Amino acid sequence: MTLKDKAAIVGIGATQYYRRGQSLPQTPLELAGKATLAALADAGLTVDDVDGLALYSMGLGGDTSLFAQTLGIPEVRFTAMLTGGGGGAAGSVGLAAAAIASGMATCVVSLMTLQQASSRFGASYAPRGKPGAQYSAPPSPEGNFIQPAGLMAPGQMFAVLANRHMHRYGTTREHFAEIAISTRENARRRE
């Protein structure tokens, strides 16, 4: 079974983009609610139509049941939460489509929230103005494995993957540039 022609994205919503720290005192849950209501309005739907949630867990500040209660969704038949790196948010769209195709839900909100209130997501830096400060990140088992190799931020980790791809398949910097340029051109056309 494929998901082709079994589900569709019918509404899109987002909050405005803020400079770091400017979205406060709003909470991630509040921002998520505003984006969801905007998507529902775009689709011509209401909260009463929603019976599923597919959330990318980063930054929501709560789980799916709390989000459903906050929005006043009357019945949730499907809920899933996905974790991962920066590209993980796209996986929640797949979860939503799978829920609809399988009959587990009829209207699923796919959602990701990121509020950069005090620091930049994916940043790795030494504290400013502190002589002798070291580059650091919060301790974690994953970090203990990768940080000794100098892999502190997403760009550094993807560089390792890109170098391997270049070595194995003969990919060039120009090939990667074409992907970046065409992706930005496609995004620009969505205005």
Side-chain angles (χ1 to χ4, degrees), residues 5-159:
D5 300 324
K6 303 248 188 320
I9 297 172
V10 297
I12 298 173
T15 59
Q16 73 177 65
Y17 290 94
Y18 295 93
R19 290 190 177 272
R20 188 169 40 249
Q22 298 299 308
S23 62
L24 296 172
Q26 297 174 94
T27 66
L29 200 60
E30 184 178 353
L31 294 168
K34 287 178 178 181
T36 299
L37 293 174
L40 291 170
D42 184 49
L45 300 170
T46 70
V47 170
D48 291 335
D49 296 307
V50 177
D51 62 354
L53 297 167
L55 305 178
Y56 178 65
S57 67
M58 176 137 218
L60 184 59
D63 64 15
T64 56
S65 62
L66 176 62
F67 187 66
Q69 290 172 4
T70 301
L71 278 184
I73 297 172
E75 180 182 7
V76 177
R77 296 175 43 212
F78 172 83
T79 182
M81 187 179 288
L82 182 70
T83 61
S92 68
V93 175
L95 288 173
I100 291 168
S102 69
M104 295 176 76
T106 58
C107 179
V108 181
V109 171
S110 172
L111 176 70
M112 188 269 190
T113 302
L114 177 63
Q115 184 181 36
Q116 300 182 85
S118 60
S119 64
R120 183 180 164 274
F121 175 67
S124 176
Y125 51 86
R128 291 184 179 161
K130 294 184 180 178
Q134 297 292 312
Y135 284 89
S136 63
S140 70
E142 298 85 8
N144 292 341
F145 180 73
I146 61 175
Q147 289 169 359
L151 303 176
M152 299 280 288
Q156 296 160 340
M157 290 182 246
F158 278 107

